[in-house]
Amino acid sequence: RLITAQITDQRVRLTSEMLSGISSLKAYAWEKAFLDKLAYLRSLEHKSIFVSQAMKACTGALYFAIPAIASLATFMTYTSGTGHELNV
């Protein structure tokens, strides 16, 4: 989250700078350079958010899968380690 916030701050700062100095930007034809930098910062922000959301999704999946995996491991250990058979 901290990385995403830093990238977002850079992007907002650049956008604010562009808007405050729009007349200079137009006069010297710096639109392309600023837009390229803005696009780069947006792509960094997008990648950071994507990684964060992917990690959150994996954590959520593991949260719900761990009880079933733990039960399976317990029963497998019981049956294979002691030679017992599970009767239902």
Side-chain angles (χ1 to χ4, degrees), residues 23-74:
S23 60
S24 298
L25 197 116
K26 291 281 190 184
Y28 293 109
W30 289 337
E31 297 101 337
K32 178 79 169 121
F34 272 89
L35 289 177
D36 289 345
K37 183 159 181 153
L38 187 62
Y40 173 71
L41 288 173
R42 282 181 180 161
S43 70
L44 285 180
E45 185 180 14
H46 181 265
K47 288 176 189 174
S48 176
I49 291 170
F50 180 79
V51 168
S52 173
Q53 292 300 316
M55 288 183 356
K56 193 180 288 188
C58 289
T59 303
L62 282 174
Y63 176 79
F64 289 107
I66 288 295
I69 294 170
S71 297
L72 180 67
T74 302

Side-chain angles (χ1 to χ4, degrees), residues 2 8 13 19 23 43-44 49-50 65 73 77 79-80:
L2 180 64
T8 301
R13 198 174 311 122
L19 291 175
S23 60
S43 70
L44 285 180
I49 291 170
F50 180 79
T77 303
T79 57
S80 66

Side-chain angles (χ1 to χ4, degrees), residues 74-88:
T74 302
F75 292 128
M76 294 278 292
T77 303
Y78 176 74
T79 57
S80 66
T82 59
H84 289 94
E85 208 174 282
L86 288 179
N87 296 322
V88 181

